[in-house]
Amino acid sequence: MQSSRSKPCSCPSLKLREVASMYFTLVAAFLVILVVALQGSAPRQSDFPYKVPLDPQGLLELSWNVSYPEQAVHFQLLIRELHFGLLFGMSDRGEFENADLAVLWSDGHNSYFGDAWSDAKGQLHMDSQQDYQLLGARRAPEGLYLLFRRAFSTCDPKDYLIEDGTVHLIYGILEKPVHSLQAINVSALHGGLQRVQLLKPNISIPQLPRDMKSMEITAPDVVIPSQETTYWCYMAELPEGFSKHHIIMYEPVVTAGNEALVHHMEVFQCAADFDSFPRYNGPCDSKMKPERLNYCRHVLAAWAMGAQAFYYPEEAGLAFGGPGSSRYLRLEIHYHNPLVFKGRRDSSGIRLYYTATLRPYDAGIMELGLVYTPVMAIPPGEDSFILTGYCTDKCTQLALPSAGIRIFASQLHTHLAGRKVVTVLSRHGRERQVVNADSHYSPHFQEIRMLKEVVAVFPGDELITTCTYNTEDRSRATVGGFGILEEMCVNYVHYYPQTQLELCKSAVDPGYLHRYFNLVNRFNDEEVCMCPQVSVPQQFYSIPWNTFNRDVLRSLYGFAPISVHCNKSSAVRFPGQWEKQPLPSITERLREPSPRCPPSPGAQPAAPIPLHLGQLRR
């Protein structure tokens, strides 16, 4: 009787490693053929809707798209002047150390592409798991287009996890031929960083009304100062008798040739308390700037490099014009000019689209987080110090309508020490939803971001905003306040329908802070002066920051009662008892999302892919 088992195969056996090697050799060969075949016309711009210049001269231009079904980002890198290759990648704060990199390099005759990583000393290593997947290259009159793909999460410990929020992109240009990846000296590269929001929300564009009009708030052909950083202020006016309208969309207007210099822009509306505001066109930090311009702080529009047009939900618009609304607007432009170009003229700004046909709801802006007060402080030398501000259930119960509000956008804000910001919605003591989070937050990249999904907030809900700070470069305490070396922790949430609640924030109870200073005096040899005439900042500055004093302050902020600011737009609190309020009790935390690992074909050989790009030049 014939056995049911298969007979041994007489063909020669191949080990799995040999099969894998043959497979990836064929893939590499196919990619070389693909690269040659793709040389010609430039890719369609519609395939890559997001675009940003990487370098100040605009020689490197990155475009990308996001595929949520694939959980991947597709990159298109335009290299206008290709020398001997480049590095492109991501790192925690924009460093070349501990970075995740896609590398194109040439020995002068042959070119290669590979997925690499850098160690703590900046030394490059070929990654054993090649997750930057080369899709092709195209030569065009304007330069070389390099196309590649990267999954959000690869579960490779050497790879960067692409997540919501800010991503620090880094680049480095190879100006000399190199014979191997390991021969690249990162410290000698001409490089830099660019911050973007890679994972743009997939939001459908609402239908726009036929009576929509537009106005441009732009700089009047200013000469960009020949210095690295400039904040430029320009005052504009709405027409006399301008009635109430709804802003339903806005977009950037960037002067051609200045795309790499215009870093971010904001349009502020001035306070209606003043009948007029002086004209001004100059640096925002100039002594010649009229002091009254400090009362122009109501944000109408905010744009940062890499952002596209901003659309309001079709049922709401941002009101401006009409009674109780100031005619005066302040445009603020941040110019980033690291190469110190001279004589560049600029007329950039923001184009507002508006309608006289009012939508069902006025949109509102509410401040969440911490009150601007020095009672909230961060000791010096901290790598990760956390402060939290609360919008309490008592405040939302009193101030929100029974049907609640809908948050559709958010702008996070700290000053220079901020490293991470997150706002969480809590209901009945249980964390329900993240409103907005940025684990790689940078104070140098702030924009209004549309949320992936609208967040419904009802009376009795709590909105808890937590900021993480780094003060390793500081020698004295950093207190809360308006100064750039002081700190803030704010989330400006955009919502509808507009309510009277404009600010819902907190700070530690001053009496408990006074007890902290007393305790420090009792347990330290050096006395902290608590004389009535000595300010809270001065008391913080005089503290000897040993481990005990740090730990007790951290503990104080974690249990002490708070002073709640539940404020109307008039800056007056809603009626009620707001002092010495207990901290919200959270009984159930949100689980940290687990990275979704893409299916792996197995260990890929850590070998670069050869490219036929011709002989490269100096």
Side-chain angles (χ1 to χ4, degrees):
M1 184 176 176
Q2 188 175 355
S3 170
S4 62
R5 293 192 180 186
S6 302
K7 293 182 179 180
C9 180
S10 59
C11 54
S13 63
L14 292 174
K15 294 181 179 179
L16 181 61
R17 182 178 298 177
E18 293 172 338
V19 172
S21 178
M22 289 173 61
Y23 169 76
F24 289 112
T25 301
L26 287 171
V27 170
F30 169 74
L31 284 170
V32 171
I33 295 170
L34 177 66
V35 167
V36 175
L38 286 175
Q39 294 193 16
S41 62
R44 294 176 302 171
Q45 289 299 317
S46 58
D47 293 339
F48 298 93
Y50 312 115
K51 182 172 68 175
V52 67
L54 287 182
D55 68 306
Q57 293 176 288
L59 300 178
L60 298 173
E61 183 178 280
L62 179 72
S63 303
W64 74 96
N65 66 41
V66 182
S67 173
Y68 285 101
E70 293 181 34
Q71 292 282 288
V73 180
H74 294 83
F75 295 100
Q76 173 187 276
L77 192 56
L78 170 58
I79 309 165
R80 299 188 190 278
E81 293 183 11
L82 181 62
H83 294 264
F84 291 96
L86 63 90
L87 284 69
F88 167 83
M90 298 166 269
S91 66
D92 182 41
R93 311 296 309 175
E95 316 90 343
F96 274 91
E97 296 77 28
N98 298 315
D100 177 16
L101 300 162
V103 186
L104 173 68
W105 77 96
S106 171
D107 59 11
H109 303 283
N110 302 304
S111 300
Y112 305 91
F113 177 91
D115 182 345
W117 57 276
S118 62
D119 58 28
K121 295 182 179 179
Q123 178 65 48
L124 296 190
H125 306 269
M126 185 65 67
D127 202 329
S128 59
Q129 187 173 310
Q130 294 285 293
D131 293 304
Y132 281 108
Q133 301 169 0
L134 182 65
L135 302 177
R138 303 170 185 255
R139 279 201 180 274
E142 60 268 34
L144 173 71
Y145 285 92
L146 198 63
L147 291 89
F148 49 98
R149 175 187 183 277
R150 169 69 151 70
F152 297 172
S153 169
T154 64
C155 295
D156 178 349
K158 301 300 184 185
D159 284 355
Y160 181 94
L161 175 64
I162 300 175
E163 55 190 341
D164 292 332
T166 302
V167 177
H168 291 71
L169 303 176
I170 56 176
Y171 67 89
I173 299 172
L174 300 179
E175 297 178 333
K176 296 179 181 179
V178 291
H179 296 285
S180 69
L181 180 81
Q182 289 73 20
I184 297 174
N185 181 4
V186 170
S187 62
L189 290 178
H190 167 66
L193 74 92
Q194 184 63 279
R195 301 175 182 92
V196 299
Q197 180 197 19
L198 273 185
L199 301 188
K200 302 288 187 180
N202 188 15
I203 295 175
S204 58
I205 296 175
Q207 187 173 358
L208 300 174
R210 292 182 178 179
D211 69 342
M212 181 177 71
K213 297 180 180 180
S214 68
M215 71 169 63
E216 293 186 357
I217 312 297
T218 56
D221 194 31
V222 305
V223 177
I224 299 175
S226 53
Q227 59 191 35
E228 181 172 348
T229 300
T230 301
Y231 284 84
W232 193 272
C233 284
Y234 170 67
M235 291 296 291
E237 294 180 36
L238 296 176
E240 193 82 48
F242 188 78
S243 61
K244 180 180 178 180
H245 290 73
H246 271 165
I247 297 172
I248 55 176
M249 169 191 168
Y250 62 83
E251 63 184 359
V253 179
V254 180
T255 300
N258 292 343
E259 292 86 355
L261 301 181
V262 179
H263 188 270
H264 69 258
M265 302 181 285
E266 292 185 271
V267 175
F268 299 90
Q269 188 171 34
C270 300
D273 306 345
F274 301 93
D275 293 332
S276 65
F277 280 79
R279 296 179 180 274
Y280 183 72
N281 180 38
C284 299
D285 60 355
S286 170
K287 294 181 179 179
M288 302 299 292
K289 187 188 80 170
E291 187 177 345
R292 186 170 289 187
L293 269 60
N294 295 331
Y295 291 90
C296 303
R297 296 179 53 210
H298 177 65
V299 178
L300 289 184
W303 172 89
M305 192 179 284
Q308 288 192 309
F310 182 94
Y311 295 87
Y312 279 85
E314 59 185 11
E315 58 268 32
L318 186 64
F320 78 136
S325 176
S326 175
R327 291 177 45 234
Y328 296 90
L329 309 176
R330 175 168 65 89
L331 171 68
E332 182 175 301
I333 303 178
H334 173 199
Y335 294 112
H336 182 57
N337 184 12
L339 299 181
V340 196
F341 292 120
K342 295 183 179 179
R344 286 283 189 96
R345 307 194 78 89
D346 186 70
S347 298
S348 298
I350 289 179
R351 184 181 295 119
L352 303 174
Y353 292 86
Y354 59 97
T355 175
T357 305
L358 301 182
R359 291 179 166 183
Y361 302 112
D362 285 350
I365 301 174
M366 186 190 307
E367 286 189 39
L368 307 175
L370 287 172
V371 181
Y372 309 129
T373 168
V375 300
M376 306 301 297
I378 307 134
E382 292 284 344
D383 66 339
S384 181
F385 195 88
I386 293 173
L387 294 177
T388 299
Y390 302 90
C391 177
T392 62
D393 54 353
K394 185 176 178 180
C395 181
T396 61
Q397 186 70 54
L398 183 66
L400 296 188
S402 58
I405 60 172
R406 305 294 183 269
I407 299 175
F408 60 87
S410 162
Q411 182 183 17
L412 306 176
H413 178 74
T414 75
H415 285 172
L416 300 180
R419 294 294 181 271
K420 180 178 179 179
V421 186
V422 59
T423 296
V424 174
L425 169 70
S426 173
R427 185 172 296 149
H428 306 307
R430 297 178 178 179
E431 292 183 345
R432 299 291 295 267
Q433 189 174 0
V434 173
V435 177
N436 193 7
D438 196 338
S439 296
H440 301 275
Y441 172 86
S442 169
H444 304 293
F445 184 64
Q446 301 181 36
E447 59 180 351
I448 301 173
R449 291 177 180 166
M450 290 181 279
L451 304 183
K452 288 182 177 177
E453 58 183 40
V454 172
V455 177
V457 184
F458 295 100
D461 286 352
E462 294 160 333
L463 292 161
I464 301 171
T465 302
T466 300
C467 293
T468 304
Y469 302 93
N470 182 296
T471 57
E472 289 180 300
D473 61 344
R474 302 191 180 186
S475 57
R476 72 175 190 177
T478 301
V479 299
F482 291 96
I484 193 63
L485 293 179
E486 297 173 328
E487 266 309 330
M488 293 185 173
C489 178
V490 186
N491 185 354
Y492 299 98
V493 292
H494 295 243
Y495 72 97
Y496 68 89
Q498 186 178 31
T499 69
Q500 291 189 61
L501 182 61
E502 189 165 284
L503 184 149
C504 189
K505 304 162 88 172
S506 72
V508 72
D509 177 71
Y512 275 74
L513 182 65
H514 186 74
R515 295 181 190 180
Y516 167 75
F517 291 139
N518 271 329
L519 186 68
V520 167
N521 263 338
R522 290 173 58 191
F523 284 87
N524 290 276
D525 294 335
E526 299 178 47
E527 186 169 323
V528 178
C529 182
M530 294 181 299
C531 317
Q533 67 272 23
V534 176
S535 65
V536 168
Q538 289 300 325
Q539 293 181 69
F540 272 120
Y541 299 155
S542 65
I543 290 177
W545 288 109
N546 53 44
T547 303
F548 175 81
N549 292 344
R550 293 171 188 272
D551 290 346
V552 174
L553 182 65
R554 188 179 282 109
S555 177
L556 174 80
Y557 289 145
F559 79 85
I562 53 176
S563 170
V564 176
H565 287 234
C566 185
N567 292 10
K568 301 179 182 181
S569 55
S570 59
V572 176
R573 289 185 188 181
F574 280 84
Q577 176 57 44
W578 302 111
E579 301 301 330
K580 291 185 171 55
Q581 296 297 294
L583 289 181
S585 175
I586 305 300
T587 58
E588 184 178 313
R589 302 281 180 183
L590 283 171
R591 290 184 179 181
E592 287 287 334
S594 300
R596 195 175 93 181
C597 302
S600 173
Q604 300 185 18
I609 296 173
L611 299 180
H612 289 177
L613 299 178
Q615 188 167 345
L616 302 186
R617 63 175 183 81
R618 293 183 183 276

